[in-house]
Amino acid sequence: MKIYFVKDYEELSQKAFEIIESVILDKEYPVISLNTGGTPRQLFKNFVKAIQNDLDITRTTLLTLDEYVGPSDAVYSVQRYFKENLTDQIEDKFYHIDLIHGDANNQDEEIKRYQKILQKYPRDIQLLGLGTNGHIGANEPGTPFNSTMFVSKHTKETIESTKKEYKLSDEETPNEMFTLGFQEILQAKNILLLVSGRHKAKAVKTFLEDNISENCPVSYLRNYDNVTVIIDEDAASLLDLEK
Ligand code: F6R
């Protein structure tokens, strides 16, 4: 695992963008799987700006890490996030995109469908964020490290952060999510984890300084060389190595 310590959110977003851009420039048919939430918002902005300024994504495939169970146009849905933060702003560009259908009637079939897509389009990059409880995707604490794509039940902590992120009432807040499991996450050629902000500092400390354990899902990534982590100063502020 490689770690870059950067100053702040701006620098983190720019560094992440540059890593994604270099894959798009280098590969003939790049496959980039993105996640959503607060952390990658600026990265999406940088990506849109570059595409509008002629970064060629005609041969790029875009995939996703996860999707809430619920209507595809719900304010919190990953489909809507991609639409608002990316695809609506690059309408005249050609690219290929395949997202998870959170409204699928048959969830098992949807999982099989998406697993086939993951096989057809081997990912060059899998983007990840970090939950304050150590989750990656919706692999919450206690999820076995051999998990494959499944519908996860969110913990209370995750439900609270979704509620806050999308300014929802209790009734509106989703509590289940399709997510790639550890196994699919780690099949990507490169895994890029972004962590920003003081509210993540405790999770970062557990991730990097405690034992590898299912209680802290992200800790599993420490075993792998194809993982790059970008952490800003606020998120790294509780680390002993930073003192
Ligand atoms: C969402 C996802 C989640 C988030 C995590 C951190 O697609 O993958 O695991 O990355 O909950 O969310 P933010 O970035 O909002 O702090």
Side-chain angles (χ1 to χ4, degrees):
M1 193 175 75
K2 190 195 293 175
I3 306 180
Y4 292 107
F5 291 102
V6 297
K7 190 170 181 317
D8 53 20
Y9 181 62
E10 289 301 312
E11 201 180 323
L12 168 138
S13 306
Q14 182 57 22
K15 175 104 197 137
F17 166 68
E18 284 166 10
I19 292 172
I20 291 176
E21 181 188 43
S22 72
V23 168
I24 293 177
L25 294 174
D26 285 357
K27 294 281 298 198
E28 199 178 354
Y29 292 101
V31 182
I32 311 290
S33 176
L34 300 168
N35 78 320
T36 60
T39 310
R41 280 189 194 276
Q42 183 62 42
L43 163 63
F44 272 68
K45 281 192 188 145
N46 295 354
F47 194 24
V48 165
K49 199 165 153 207
I51 296 165
Q52 288 168 345
N53 283 334
D54 278 343
L55 173 66
D56 181 8
I57 56 157
T58 44
R59 284 170 287 106
T60 299
T61 292
L62 299 172
L63 302 178
T64 182
L65 170 69
D66 49 19
E67 175 59 282
Y68 291 98
V69 171
S72 60
D73 61 349
V75 279
Y76 51 78
S77 82
V78 168
Q79 294 229 19
R80 177 130 168 205
Y81 187 104
F82 269 70
K83 190 169 148 44
E84 289 177 354
N85 293 284
L86 184 63
T87 56
D88 271 359
Q89 298 175 53
I90 53 169
E91 265 176 349
D92 56 335
K93 311 281 177 188
F94 292 99
Y95 55 92
H96 175 234
I97 185 164
D98 234 314
L99 302 180
I100 299 167
H101 302 147
D103 56 356
N105 287 328
N106 186 329
Q107 296 184 333
D108 291 340
E109 285 304 317
E110 180 57 12
I111 288 171
K112 281 191 203 137
R113 182 190 74 84
Y114 211 69
Q115 284 175 323
K116 275 194 195 140
I117 287 168
L118 295 174
Q119 274 175 8
K120 185 167 172 196
Y121 300 101
R123 286 154 293 154
D124 294 298
I125 292 201
Q126 176 61 65
L127 186 68
L128 299 177
L130 178 61
T132 49
N133 64 2
H135 73 219
I136 50 171
N139 290 270
E140 298 280 19
T143 306
F145 288 146
N146 63 1
S147 68
T148 55
M149 189 174 171
F150 67 111
V151 174
S152 162
K153 296 220 181 311
H154 287 315
T155 59
K156 262 194 188 150
E157 204 169 346
T158 305
I159 293 171
E160 275 311 306
S161 51
T162 310
K163 190 176 155 191
K164 208 165 141 206
E165 174 69 22
Y166 295 100
K167 301 180 180 63
L168 304 166
S169 67
D170 284 345
E171 297 71 44
E172 290 165 331
T173 310
N175 55 17
E176 284 186 331
M177 193 169 207
F178 286 91
T179 182
L180 304 201
F182 289 103
Q183 294 308 307
E184 288 104 357
I185 288 173
L186 285 154
Q187 276 159 11
K189 203 178 245 171
N190 299 290
I191 293 137
L192 180 58
L193 169 66
L194 310 183
V195 198
S196 170
R198 207 159 281 269
H199 62 303
K200 300 286 174 76
K202 239 177 107 194
V204 167
K205 190 172 174 64
T206 310
F207 166 30
L208 296 176
E209 294 179 355
D210 274 6
N211 296 332
I212 295 176
S213 147
E214 285 172 2
N215 295 329
C216 178
V218 69
S219 65
Y220 192 52
L221 300 182
R222 274 166 44 197
N223 289 329
Y224 292 87
D225 289 341
N226 57 338
V227 175
T228 301
V229 189
I230 310 181
I231 306 178
D232 72 7
E233 278 178 10
D234 282 346
S237 58
L238 294 178
L239 289 178
D240 286 333
L241 58 97
E242 279 289 288
K243 286 182 185 145

